[in-house]
Amino acid sequence: KANTPLLSRAIQGQFVPASTFKVVSAAAALQNGYTAYETYQCPGVLQVGNRKFSNFEGESPGPVDLAKGLAVSCDTMWYGIADTFWRKDGGLDPVAKPKDPFEKMAKSFGYGKRTGIDLPSESRGRVGGRAFKTALNEQLHDAWCRRAVTGYPEVAKTDQKRATYLKALAKENCADGGVFRIGDAVNLSIGQGDTVVTPLQVAQAYAAVANGGTIYQPQVAKGIVGSDGKVVSLIKPKVTGKLPVSKANLAFLRKAFTDVTVEPYGTGYNPFRGFPLDQIPVASKTGSAQVTGDKASTSWFASYAPANKPRYAVVMMVTEGGTGSKT
């Protein structure tokens, strides 16, 4: 019905990354003043600004260190860190050069740009940070202000409630659509909101953590073979970037994502019950991306293995699949 039967979800589909994005958040926190072993609060609900943000199903693991916070996929821990970063950058009255740790780290991981894979029509995705809000406001400000007056009569014909909502949103965006709010910062920290990625970008990101910080351009072609069957040339791997993360912090992250699978409280524990993890340790991160409307969440499972000497990065994604762990 969408008329896109041949869309390659792996390189062209753009989806909210949810908790798989926490590989970025953790790297940003570690490189900007937080430590791996301090205690972080993980309440079921956290008041940020004038709104309450909650963990998945309101779960409340209590105080956690960073590794356990990643294993149980705590959200409220990141809300607090995002709030701190946002305030240090000036809040609603930003400093001249905001640090925006989550946004800049996400771009360092390759989010928001094409991987360069040797396939056509790859999507670039986007990082829903301050730069995106500014650019979107420049592009749509006039249209928002016009709709704030005229509303959405074409939508009202079939859905008055949605038309009313869209008009209210247009009024808000007309007034200050370019402002990077605390809600934007909070959503970015857990991979929700305006950020969208391709499954290939997620695989590239986790591969970079697994291999020690090198971002490689994904490639399908291995080489060129002549009509006589002899190899004419091999296509060498191309390095496109390095993660701005210390060796110590990368080592911690690799161990932390292994805990997601082996610890009983880890969100990746149940899918691997009975698997010979003592022979093939697996690092993983689950994700359940909420979407608008009455659709089920986008289900994510990012992984690499063997975790102690990685050779493969594997990412699974199911649209409207539900939770990452169960699906």
Side-chain angles (χ1 to χ4, degrees), residues 16 48 58 85 98 107 109 113 136 154 169 190 197 280 293 296 308:
V16 175
V48 180
F85 282 156
K107 292 178 178 178
F109 267 76
K113 64 181 179 182
L136 190 67
E154 70 280 14
L169 194 62
I190 60 163
V197 301
I280 309 173
N308 55 352

Side-chain angles (χ1 to χ4, degrees), residues 22-36 38 40 66 77-78 81 85 101-102 105 249:
K22 289 173 183 173
V23 67
V24 171
S25 301
L30 290 171
Q31 292 296 124
N32 287 275
Y34 288 89
T35 65
E38 62 185 279
Y40 299 85
L66 187 54
M77 174 180 77
W78 295 110
I81 294 173
F85 282 156
F102 292 135
M105 185 62 73
N249 287 338

Side-chain angles (χ1 to χ4, degrees), residues 190-262:
I190 60 163
Q192 290 282 168
D194 294 316
T195 300
V196 291
V197 301
T198 67
L200 182 65
Q201 287 175 324
V202 178
Q204 184 187 48
Y206 277 80
V209 170
N211 70 34
T214 301
I215 301 175
Y216 287 98
Q217 177 178 297
Q219 51 188 68
V220 176
K222 184 177 182 180
I224 300 171
V225 179
S227 57
D228 59 359
K230 293 182 179 180
V231 176
V232 176
S233 64
L234 292 175
I235 300 174
K236 295 181 179 179
K238 181 180 179 181
V239 175
T240 59
K242 291 279 187 179
L243 296 180
V245 184
S246 70
K247 289 184 178 179
N249 287 338
L250 282 171
F252 165 78
L253 289 174
R254 285 195 294 274
K255 174 62 171 63
F257 287 116
T258 304
D259 290 348
V260 175
T261 314
V262 300

